[in-house]
C-alpha cells in the first residue's frame, strides 16, 4: 500500500484588511491545505495557543492516516470507533507481530489516547455546525432510559458539587449528553494515609524540639498541642491572641 503523505507546517494568515497576521499550523495533504481544519484553528486562534493547535493537527493527521488505511469502511461512526480502539491497542497483530495496515502504531497511553479522541470529537462537533454530515462521525448519543437516567444523575451530582452549581439548569439538556465513543477512564487509585509525624516520638518532639538555649518555647508547644490534639487547622492559631485584664496584678 502506498503511504499517504501528510505534512504539518506553520502558516501566516491574513484574514482581513487590517493586515494583522496570525500564525497557525496547517495540514498539507496531496490535495492541498485541509480547509476545515484551518478554519477551525482560525476560529479558535483568539483563545487557544499554538501548542493546542498543533495537537489538534496531529490528532487529525492520525485519523486521516487511519481512514486511508481502511478505505472499505463506509460507516463513519464505526470508522471513528475502530480508530479510537487502535489508539489504545496499537495496530500490530499480537499473535503474528505483523501490521497489514502499515500504520505501525504502538499503543498510546490512556491519557494521550483520550486527549486525541476528545480533540477530534470537539473538532467534528464544531465542523458539524457547518457541515451536518460531520456530526455522524462521533455523534452525541441519546441512549435508552437507563443511559439517560445515569447521565442525569451524574449531571445533578456535578451540579451539587460545583461552586456555582445553583446557576446550572435543573436538568441536563442535549448538550450535556456524552459522545458515543469516549475516552477510556483512568483507574482511580485509593488514597493512602497522609504523611504524619510518628506518634511514638511526639513527646520527644514536644519536649526537645522546642528547646533553644536551654529554654522552652511554650507558645510553640501550646500551638503544637492544639494542632495535634485539638483538631485546629494550620491557619487557626493565627487568630489566637492574649487578652490581659488591667485589673489583675501580674507577678
Amino acid at each position: 500500500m502506498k503511504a499517504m503523505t501528510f505534512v504539518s507546517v506553520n502558516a501566516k494568515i491574513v484574514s482581513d484588511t487590517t493586515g494583522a497576521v496570525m500564525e497557525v499550523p496547517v495540514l498539507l495533504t496531496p490535495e492541498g491545505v485541509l480547509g476545515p481544519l484551518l478554519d477551525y484553528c482560525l476560529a479558535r486562534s483568539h483563545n487557544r495557543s499554538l501548542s493546542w493547535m498543533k495537537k489538534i493537527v496531529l490528532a487529525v493527521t492520525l485519523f486521516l492516516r487511519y481512514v486511508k488505511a481502511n478505505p472499505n469502511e463506509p460507516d463513519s461512526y464505526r470508522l471513528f470507533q475502530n480508530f479510537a480502539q487502535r489508539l489504545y491497542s496499537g495496530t500490530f497483530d499480537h499473535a503474528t507481530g505483523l501490521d497489514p495496515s502499515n500504520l505501525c502504531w504502538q499503543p498510546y497511553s490512556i491519557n494521550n489516547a483520550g486527549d486525541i479522541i476528545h480533540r477530534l470529537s470537539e473538532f467534528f462537533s464544531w465542523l458539524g455546525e457547518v457541515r451536518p454530515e460531520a456530526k455522524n462521525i462521533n455523534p452525541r448519543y441519546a441512549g435508552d432510559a437507563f443511559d439517560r437516567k445515569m447521565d442525569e444523575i451524574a449531571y445533578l451530582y456535578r451540579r451539587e458539587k460545583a461552586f456555582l452549581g445553583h446557576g446550572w439548569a435543573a436538568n441536563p439538556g442535549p448538550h450535556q449528553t456524552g459522545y458515543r465513543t469516549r475516552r477510556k477512564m483512568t483507574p482511580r487509585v485509593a488514597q493512602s494515609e497522609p504523611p504524619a509525624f510518628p506518634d511514638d516520638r511526639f513527646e520527644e518532639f514536644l519536649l526537645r524540639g522546642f528547646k533553644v538555649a536551654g529554654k522552652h518555647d511554650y507558645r510553640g508547644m501550646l500551638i503544637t498541642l492544639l494542632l495535634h490534639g485539638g483538631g485546629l487547622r494550620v491557619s487557626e492559631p493565627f487568630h489566637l491572641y492574649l487578652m490581659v485584664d488591667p485589673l489583675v496584678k501580674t507577678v
Side-chain angles (χ1 to χ4, degrees):
M1 180 184 297
K2 185 178 180 180
M4 177 66 71
T5 302
F6 299 99
V7 180
S8 174
V9 297
N10 288 346
K12 295 182 177 180
I13 307 297
V14 177
S15 59
D16 56 23
T17 59
T18 64
V21 177
M22 293 179 291
E23 183 175 351
V24 297
V26 297
L27 183 59
L28 300 179
T29 72
E31 304 298 327
V33 175
L34 189 63
L37 182 57
L38 173 59
D39 293 339
Y40 183 59
C41 290
L42 291 175
R44 296 291 187 268
S45 62
H46 66 287
N47 63 349
R48 294 294 187 178
S49 65
L50 184 62
S51 174
W52 178 88
M53 296 180 193
K54 289 181 178 180
K55 290 177 181 178
I56 184 62
V57 170
L58 174 61
V60 172
T61 301
L62 291 174
F63 183 63
L64 290 180
R65 288 175 178 168
Y66 185 82
V67 170
K68 183 62 180 178
N70 295 270
N72 299 322
E73 177 54 70
D75 188 334
S76 57
Y77 165 65
R78 187 174 299 277
L79 188 69
F80 186 83
Q81 184 184 52
N82 291 338
F83 164 77
Q85 293 170 349
R86 296 294 78 76
L87 290 176
Y88 290 111
S89 67
T91 57
F92 289 96
D93 187 326
H94 295 290
T96 64
L98 301 177
D99 180 7
S101 70
N102 291 322
L103 290 172
C104 300
W105 290 353
Q106 295 291 339
Y108 282 77
S109 69
I110 292 178
N111 288 335
N112 287 341
D115 288 343
I116 292 171
I117 294 170
H118 177 72
R119 292 190 187 101
L120 287 175
S121 298
E122 293 296 316
F123 170 58
F124 291 133
S125 179
W126 174 87
L127 187 59
E129 298 175 2
V130 182
R131 304 181 182 183
E133 63 274 11
K135 289 184 178 180
N136 296 326
I137 297 178
N138 191 23
R140 293 185 181 274
Y141 81 110
D144 58 24
F146 295 101
D147 293 333
R148 290 193 296 272
K149 189 62 177 178
M150 291 301 296
D151 274 349
E152 182 178 357
I153 293 173
Y155 172 82
L156 294 177
Y157 176 81
R158 294 194 302 271
R159 180 176 182 269
E160 292 297 323
K161 294 294 183 181
F163 179 68
L164 299 176
H166 60 276
W168 294 19
N171 293 293
H175 61 283
Q176 276 90 24
T177 57
Y179 294 102
R180 287 187 180 179
T181 300
R182 309 186 186 191
R183 61 190 304 164
K184 184 181 293 186
M185 300 300 293
T186 55
R188 293 185 177 274
V189 179
Q191 295 295 328
S192 59
E193 288 295 325
F197 193 85
D199 287 333
D200 59 340
R201 303 199 63 184
F202 181 76
E203 183 178 355
E204 180 186 359
F205 165 66
L206 193 65
L207 297 177
R208 298 179 59 183
F210 291 92
K211 190 175 183 180
V212 180
K215 296 183 179 181
H216 285 94
D217 176 14
Y218 293 109
R219 183 183 64 176
M221 295 170 69
L222 291 173
I223 290 176
T224 302
L225 285 172
L226 288 173
L227 293 175
H228 182 72
L232 270 65
R233 293 188 291 268
V234 175
S235 61
E236 289 179 324
F238 290 101
H239 300 283
L240 299 176
Y241 61 93
L242 180 64
M243 178 180 292
V244 179
D245 190 341
L247 299 180
V248 177
K249 184 178 179 181
T250 58
V251 178

